[in-house]
Amino acid sequence: ATISSPADIFTSTYDHYKIYIEYLFSTDSDSVLLQLGNSGGFTTAAYDYAYSGVRSSDSLLGGADAGSSWNLQGGTGTGYFNSASGGFGGIIDIFNPVAAQYSIMAAQLVWKNGQSDDAHIINIGGLIDSQTSHTKWKLLFAGSYLFNTGTIVRTYGVVK
């Protein structure tokens, strides 16, 4: 299952957008992914990213990856979020989504790990290695889980 923005949430009015994930809950623990798209569909390749963070148990997280989406938790080694005990939230910045150049993402996110019950805080950044115009976003899970009611995601353009 996915949560998608309206078709033209990104416009040339702004070159910087903030996506606020206030509460994100699912039917089970899983990795949260982000893709950007346009009227032709969603980009499913060339997402490069790196991340660093910390678990409440004081162990560090870090790494880099590439793939068909941005894994907002960095990767499977960082643990899945536990929807039953706090969900997932944070702020995602998207830069230059509409311009036919590289779209850049930077985010700070927090969740409770569904495997170790630790709190996780992560900083993640990346780009789409393609000079494509994007007008919308989509959140999805790595598995087949569903977003529960109560999930709140908002998008704002930042004035130039």
Side-chain angles (χ1 to χ4, degrees), residues 82-154:
N82 185 343
S83 188
S85 63
F88 177 94
I91 301 170
I92 304 166
D93 289 284
I94 303 290
F95 301 96
N96 305 314
V98 177
Q101 58 188 16
Y102 300 109
S103 293
I104 297 169
M105 178 272 301
Q108 185 171 50
L109 303 156
V110 63
W111 69 94
K112 186 132 183 179
N113 187 313
Q115 297 163 326
S116 65
D117 215 29
D118 288 356
H120 288 202
I121 298 171
I122 197 166
N123 294 295
I124 184 167
L127 57 82
I128 298 176
D129 196 9
S130 167
Q131 295 185 9
T132 302
S133 177
H134 297 99
T135 56
K136 60 185 177 178
W137 58 259
K138 174 171 70 173
L139 291 173
L140 61 153
F141 291 117
S144 59
Y145 301 113
L146 304 174
F147 290 95
N148 280 352
T149 57
T151 293
I152 299 173
V153 182
R154 301 172 197 256

Side-chain angles (χ1 to χ4, degrees), residues 40-103:
F42 285 91
T43 300
T44 58
Y47 290 85
D48 295 327
Y49 58 95
Y51 61 94
S52 65
V54 65
R55 294 179 178 100
S56 59
S57 60
D58 293 329
S59 58
L60 298 177
L61 304 168
D65 206 347
S68 61
S69 59
W70 288 310
N71 185 327
L72 295 179
Q73 292 163 271
T76 56
T78 63
Y80 305 117
F81 84 93
N82 185 343
S83 188
S85 63
F88 177 94
I91 301 170
I92 304 166
D93 289 284
I94 303 290
F95 301 96
N96 305 314
V98 177
Q101 58 188 16
Y102 300 109
S103 293

Side-chain angles (χ1 to χ4, degrees), residues 12-32:
S12 59
T13 302
Y14 307 105
D15 55 9
H16 176 196
Y17 287 84
K18 288 190 171 285
I19 302 170
Y20 289 85
I21 302 174
E22 295 180 34
Y23 302 101
L24 192 152
F25 298 102
S26 77
T27 55
D28 207 338
S29 300
D30 202 353
S31 290
V32 181

